[in-house]
Structure formats: structure tokens, C-alpha cells
Amino acid sequence: MAAEHVVIDLDENGHEPAERSGITQAIVANRRKVLLQLVAAFVIGVVLGGFGVGELRDSRAQRERSTVVSLVALPESGYSGGSNSRGTVQLNGQLTLVNTGPAPITIRAVRAERPGVQVRGMGQARLVRPGGTGQILVDLQLECSTAFQPEPLSVRFSVETEDKRLREVRYPVALVGSAWQEDALSMCEPPLDS
């Protein structure tokens, strides 16, 4: 009788019962499916989160732009008569405003005061678009002897920004050499006797 040698190869796959092999494949397939769903959810979350952050950043930048006030004010002759009483000249003038900011602004009020000078807006509001100009009529009260000092006059503006909030802005206006000085000095000079 010949002896049969039975050799079992332990490295060989596929010796599990068919029923158990199918369950294992189903578990692996389910794990892959769940993993793919998690990866897809993560990718969608990243995309939506990036979009949301971008929109939030744009919204914040727009809000910041709408609150910025940047303007330049230049005195212009708007001379339409005036009076000289005891060395004090009262006349009408105008300020030319240039909006150098990124959003439209509405100038609600203008006011400035220092010894010898009073400037008051005449009450009308003026919308000035970005990069645009507008004129505001003002009443001036100037003392001939003290009004025209070398330091600029700090003019306060009450400005409504695009977000409908009022802000106070100051701008230095040079009076020396301005049209206001020219108009006032012509009235400050005593009349020539003939």
C-alpha cells in the first residue's frame, strides 16, 4: 500500500466556504461605498464652505467700502453780495467737494469755526458719486483782521454713507489765497475817498 502524502498549502486563498466568502465581499463592498460617500460629502463640504467664505469675504468688503468717507473740499467763489459791519464781512460762498472714496456719499451739513471765521452750510443735502464733484452753498462770516491765518480751517462735514449712517468727517481748507479771501478782502478795504 502506498502512502499518500497530503500537503496543505496555507498561503492559498479560496478555501473558505462559499457562503462566508460572499459575506466578506459584501462587507468590503459596503465599506467602500460608505468610504466613497464620506469622501463625496467631504468634497461637497469643502466646495460649499469655500463658496460661503468667499461670499462672506465679498460681503464684508462691500460693507467696509460703503462706510469709507474720503473727500476733498475747495473754497470757490459763490459771491452774491455781502456786507461789511465793523470789520466783519458776511458773504455767500461755496465749497466744491470731490468724493475720492469708493462709494457715494451725501453731504448733510457743513460747519467750521475758529476766531475770526464762521462757516455754515445753507441746509441743502448734496449727493456726490465716487470720483464725482458737487457744490455746497455756505454762509461765511469773516473778520477782516483775523480770518486769514496761515493754518488751514478745519471744516466738519456731516456725511451719510451708503449704509445710511451719519459720520462726521473733517477736512482742512486753506483760506489764504482762496477765492473766499479774494471776495472778503475786496469788501474789507475801505472805500477810496475822491
Side-chain angles (χ1 to χ4, degrees), residues 109-182:
V110 177
R111 188 178 182 116
E113 254 182 77
R114 76 171 180 208
V117 180
Q118 283 187 345
V119 178
R120 302 216 189 294
M122 296 177 108
Q124 80 283 9
R126 177 72 63 195
L127 174 68
V128 185
R129 302 250 175 242
T133 61
Q135 282 75 34
I136 298 241
L137 296 176
V138 292
D139 288 324
L140 303 165
Q141 186 175 18
L142 307 164
E143 288 183 24
C144 295
S145 61
T146 60
F148 301 102
Q149 303 299 318
E151 63 274 350
L153 176 66
S154 180
V155 179
R156 292 185 322 240
F157 298 92
S158 178
V159 179
E160 182 180 330
T161 54
E162 198 174 30
D163 63 354
K164 304 296 182 206
R165 292 191 179 171
L166 285 178
R167 290 176 168 68
E168 184 174 290
V169 178
R170 292 182 178 265
Y171 188 81
V173 173
L175 296 181
V176 174
S178 71
W180 292 355
Q181 183 182 29
E182 187 178 311

Side-chain angles (χ1 to χ4, degrees), residues 11-108:
D11 290 334
E12 197 174 304
N13 290 334
H15 290 290
E16 297 177 5
E19 185 177 297
R20 190 169 178 193
S21 177
I23 292 173
T24 304
Q25 288 176 354
I27 290 173
V28 169
N30 281 341
R31 284 185 183 165
R32 283 185 184 156
K33 183 177 178 182
V34 168
L35 183 61
L36 287 175
Q37 288 173 344
L38 288 174
V39 168
F42 177 75
V43 169
I44 290 170
V46 167
V47 169
L48 291 177
F51 179 74
V53 167
E55 287 296 312
L56 181 63
R57 189 176 302 134
D58 291 346
S59 174
R60 183 179 300 140
Q62 176 62 31
R63 278 194 313 270
E64 287 173 2
R65 276 193 303 273
S66 71
T67 63
V68 172
V69 176
S70 180
L71 61 85
V72 174
L74 305 167
E76 297 287 335
S77 179
Y79 184 70
S80 61
S83 63
N84 182 349
S85 172
R86 295 186 213 159
T88 299
V89 175
Q90 290 186 309
L91 53 93
N92 297 327
Q94 68 181 19
L95 274 172
T96 296
L97 303 172
V98 180
N99 181 358
T100 58
I105 57 174
T106 301
I107 308 300
R108 296 283 176 198

